[in-house]
Structures are given as structure tokens and as C-alpha cells.
Amino acid sequence: MPRVIDIPRELAASQEKYNGEAGRAFIAGLPDLTARFLDRWELRTDGPSMHGVCALALPVRRADGTPAVLKLQILDEESEGEPVALRAWDGDGAVRLLDHDGPTGTMLLERLDETRTLSREPDRHRAVVTIAELLAHLTSFPAPPGLRHLGDIARAMLDQTPWALARIPDPGARRLVADCAAAVREVADEPGDRLLHWDLHFENVLASDRAPWLAIDPKPLAGDPGFELWPALDNHFDPDDVLWRFDAMTGVLALDRPRARAWTLGRVLQNALWDIEDGRPLDDGQLETARRLRGHGG
């Protein structure tokens, strides 16, 4: 008989918003899916469920009493790559993958301390340096075969840029987005081959007993580590701190600053394209990040 689990309303709403009918079907099937893997992996629930935008995370204990987290999510291009990346890192700088079901994308992960996230670090500069140190280690790994590639993403963004520029009414914002595209064009032929997390913001770094900080929830791809910097520039956004953060991170990662600047402007371009597709206004903070970086000699 299916166990009763708490499905957060926010998760149901985000699944409907982003995945439509497939999201509704995923939410409707969660009780049975959860019961199936609790039985298959001999797990028992061990606390209230947690969630992000796309996944349900259920604290559990294994048969031997070891704490873990059962993560259930829709199988797509991003979630398909997550176990590939976690296996490559094998707990070295990231949460450890304990088990995985390919057909559904369900994962069993080691349990970290969800009450201690890097977002609670009061020293923002310390938090940014911590992100950079984690990225320096995670991106030292070559990307395994089969992941999405930054080169393909860059080409798709550049193909879409003329369509997007025609839909930006403000000439200053239009020029800024065009400059971001021009920066990407300069580096697109050398997109890199490192294993990227792609979404390492402060909430995706948790403490554990075995390491001070570990990364969770990668959206992995193969590419240049310069594409990794934007989340730590945007977290707790402070326009006057953008250049300090950029210089600190590129220093820790030993990156070529002009290339890193170009790929960071690529993240601004990517977000602008998504905003335009969804009919949202361009984000003022992201445009300001681009302004600051565009004129930064590095």
C-alpha cells in the first residue's frame, strides 16, 4: 500500500508551470513512485520531505540505519546528467551518489546537513571564495562522455540572438545583450571540456560531517569553467561587489580573465533569452552585472 508522503504545494505548482501535463502526471505518480523505491532499496522515511523547483527530496534511513536522501524528479536532459557527474566526482567535493535508477532518474544520495547552507555564511566574500574553491576542484575533472556540451549551447544562443534583439524595446538593453552575444562569439569555438556543475549558488552548497562544504544538485555539462561564475555574482546581488567577486573567483580558479568574462556575459545572454522567451522583462541586476563586466579590464 502506498505510504503517505507530503507533496509540497510549491513543488506541484512549479511542475505545472514548467512541465505542464508531464509535471502534473509526475506529481500524481509521486506517492506510488516513492513507495516503490522505499521498498526496492529497503528504506524507511526519516523526516518531512524537502523540495526544490523540480525534485522531491525525502529523508530516509537505509536498512543498516545509515541516513540518506531519496531524490525523485522528472527525467530530462539535466537530470539525466546528474548521476553521471556525481559518479565522476564520487563524493570528492560533491554529495555522494549511493544508488540510481536509470529509467526514472530516481537517486539515493548521502544525507548532508540541510540546515547549514552556504547562504547562511554572513561573510559574503568568504562565501564567494568557498564557491570558487569548490569550483576549482570540481572543474578539475574532465567531463565524462554523453553530457550536454557548452559549445552546442553557445551556438544555439547565438542563433537565437537576432530574434531576441528584435524584441528588446530599450536601445541600451538591446546594445548590452548584443555585446554579450559578441563576447560569446569570440570564445564559442573553444568551449572547453571540463565537468561543470552549472548551478553552484549558495543554496546548493551544504555542510557535512565529512567535509566542511559539498556541492549538491548539479545540472552538468562539458565546457569552460568560466561559465560557472555567474551564480556567485548574482547571489545576494551587490552591484558594487561584482568586480571583486569576479576577480576573486578567477584568481582562485586560475582562469584567463578575458575568457571568463566572455563566458560570464554568456550566462547573462542565456538568462536574457529565457526572459524574452517567457515574456518577462530583462532583469536589471543581470544587465548591471554585464555593464560592470563589459568594461572591466581584468
Side-chain angles (χ1 to χ4, degrees):
M1 210 165 157
R3 294 163 177 80
V4 176
I5 62 164
D6 175 37
I7 301 176
R9 290 181 182 177
E10 297 86 354
L11 177 62
S14 65
Q15 280 292 342
E16 176 149 8
K17 177 180 178 181
Y18 293 111
N19 295 310
E21 181 56 39
R24 289 191 291 273
F26 170 72
I27 293 297
L30 263 180
D32 286 341
L33 186 66
T34 303
R36 190 166 117 211
F37 282 97
L38 289 174
D39 290 339
R40 174 171 161 182
W41 287 336
E42 299 181 39
L43 308 171
R44 66 179 189 275
T45 57
D46 189 40
S49 59
M50 302 169 287
H51 70 95
V53 174
C54 299
L56 182 75
L58 186 64
V60 295
R61 287 193 179 267
R62 307 182 82 178
D64 63 1
T66 304
V69 169
L70 182 65
K71 183 175 182 180
L72 305 111
Q73 58 194 345
I74 282 186
L75 189 62
D76 58 18
E77 196 174 34
E78 291 181 0
S79 59
E80 243 179 8
E82 185 172 356
V84 177
L86 294 179
R87 283 196 193 100
W89 288 320
D90 193 25
D92 191 0
V95 65
R96 181 169 282 119
L97 179 67
L98 305 176
D99 213 332
H100 169 241
D101 178 69
T104 64
T106 303
M107 293 185 292
L108 187 66
L109 303 167
E110 75 171 309
R111 195 190 309 179
L112 308 182
D113 188 348
E114 74 279 0
T115 68
R116 291 189 291 155
T117 74
L118 192 57
S119 64
R120 298 189 178 186
E121 166 60 61
D123 184 341
R124 299 298 181 215
H125 284 184
R126 179 65 250 170
V128 168
V129 170
T130 297
I131 289 274
E133 291 169 345
L134 272 174
L135 287 175
H137 185 69
L138 296 174
T139 60
S140 70
F141 288 72
L147 291 180
R148 296 173 299 163
H149 203 286
L150 180 55
D152 297 330
I153 291 171
R155 283 187 290 273
M157 289 194 297
L158 293 174
D159 288 345
Q160 195 179 6
T161 295
W163 170 88
L165 291 177
R167 286 158 176 78
I168 302 175
D170 178 71
R174 188 165 59 247
R175 178 73 258 166
L176 197 57
V177 173
D179 286 349
C180 290
V184 172
R185 201 169 289 113
E186 291 179 2
V187 295
D189 288 340
E190 297 181 32
D193 63 357
R194 299 287 92 190
L195 176 53
L196 306 186
H197 183 288
W198 188 80
D199 195 28
L200 198 62
H201 54 75
F202 297 169
E203 291 284 349
N204 274 348
V205 180
L206 299 182
S208 82
D209 292 335
R210 69 176 179 86
W213 297 109
L214 293 169
I216 65 167
D217 200 22
K219 306 289 186 287
L221 65 154
D224 189 304
F227 201 63
E228 294 275 50
L229 307 183
W230 176 80
L233 299 178
D234 192 61
N235 277 177
H236 304 287
F237 179 67
D238 179 352
D240 294 329
D241 208 32
V242 166
L243 298 186
W244 184 95
R245 295 185 190 194
F246 177 80
D247 287 348
M249 286 192 290
T250 52
V252 171
L253 277 91
L255 298 180
D256 176 84
R257 281 184 175 154
R259 287 187 61 80
R261 180 172 61 246
W263 283 121
T264 303
L265 292 174
R267 291 295 289 267
V268 176
L269 173 63
Q270 186 177 55
N271 291 330
L273 292 172
W274 288 337
D275 285 341
I276 294 165
E277 282 179 347
D278 292 342
R280 297 189 300 264
L282 299 183
D283 185 275
D284 289 337
Q286 294 188 36
L287 294 178
E288 183 60 26
T289 295
R291 287 188 195 97
R292 302 268 175 151
L293 287 177
R294 183 176 56 176
H296 185 46

